Amino acid sequence: MPDILFTSDSHVGHANLVEGELRTRRPFSTIEEHDEALVAAWNAAVGPDDTVWHLGDFCYRCREGYARSVFARLNGRRRFLVCGNHDRISVRLSWDGIYDVAQVSVPDPATGAPVGLFLFHYACRVWPRMHRGDIHLYGHSHGTLSGTAASTDVGVDCFNFRPVTFGEILVRLAENALAQGDAS
């Protein structure tokens, strides 16, 4: 059965992530090694019939042709982009949909009941339908912002450089709740 996965902040082509002085420096020797590792991790996690929601900053500071060549190698039947602050080139790729923000529902892996998701590049303290139990997934912070029992960063810096399933996200949300002392 096809799955739905989530990720953010791939930053394909962004050499400063591996060579520069950024506080979120990634553990690769070159940007080419970085990008190849991201493609391998994506394709190990994503099957040919899966759907992926990318929550912004797919690529940055690279040529459009290079971004297209990387994008073309990624598994998934449907791929959607929720725009981030570095998506000037990304929006020219062949996504199945491009959004500023998205509200979707996915099946709970345990019960099959629909669970509402609020997808945005940036973390929010409050979001639509939060009071009804909708979960907020975000990126942008590169793992530097702690999640809560109802929201978490799905960026590649948080999940071994790969997209993650909703089941994995639910585990992370439970871990966030325990870390905050909220076991409800």
Side-chain angles (χ1 to χ4, degrees):
M1 181 166 157
D3 214 339
I4 302 170
L5 297 94
F6 303 88
T7 193
S8 185
D9 298 291
S10 301
H11 284 262
V12 167
H14 188 183
N16 280 351
L17 281 177
V18 298
E19 301 166 1
E21 299 298 319
L22 298 177
R23 68 184 170 124
T24 55
R25 188 174 171 142
R26 293 185 179 163
F28 301 96
S29 299
T30 66
I31 192 58
E32 293 80 14
E33 178 189 356
H34 169 271
D35 294 348
E36 288 304 312
L38 286 174
V39 169
W42 177 299
N43 288 339
V46 178
D49 293 325
D50 291 343
T51 296
V52 180
W53 283 89
H54 195 291
L55 305 188
D57 294 357
F58 174 75
C59 63
Y60 186 53
R61 293 188 175 178
C62 67
R63 295 188 181 274
E64 184 175 336
Y66 179 74
R68 285 186 188 285
S69 71
V70 171
F71 187 82
R73 296 171 51 209
L74 300 175
N75 284 348
R77 178 174 303 274
R78 299 175 71 206
R79 296 170 293 183
F80 298 97
L81 176 68
V82 174
C83 292
N85 55 309
H86 296 305
D87 283 317
R88 185 178 58 82
I89 294 169
S90 304
V91 297
R92 297 186 215 149
L93 304 178
S94 56
W95 300 95
D96 292 290
I98 298 173
Y99 305 87
D100 290 324
V101 62
Q103 290 180 267
V104 300
S105 65
V106 297
D108 182 299
T111 67
V115 177
L117 301 179
F118 178 72
L119 310 177
F120 191 41
H121 183 64
Y122 304 99
C124 299
R125 296 273 309 258
V126 296
W127 54 91
R129 297 188 47 83
M130 176 183 177
H131 64 289
R132 300 221 190 259
D134 282 17
I135 293 169
H136 172 37
L137 304 181
Y138 59 88
H140 186 69
S141 60
H142 294 260
T144 63
L145 182 63
S146 298
T148 70
S151 68
T152 200
D153 186 342
V154 295
V156 298
D157 299 285
C158 303
F159 288 97
N160 297 316
F161 304 102
R162 65 180 176 80
V164 293
T165 65
F166 186 57
E168 292 173 288
I169 290 166
L170 290 176
V171 170
R172 179 62 54 88
L173 294 172
E175 292 169 352
N176 293 348
L178 288 173
Q180 296 171 335
D182 177 19
S184 56

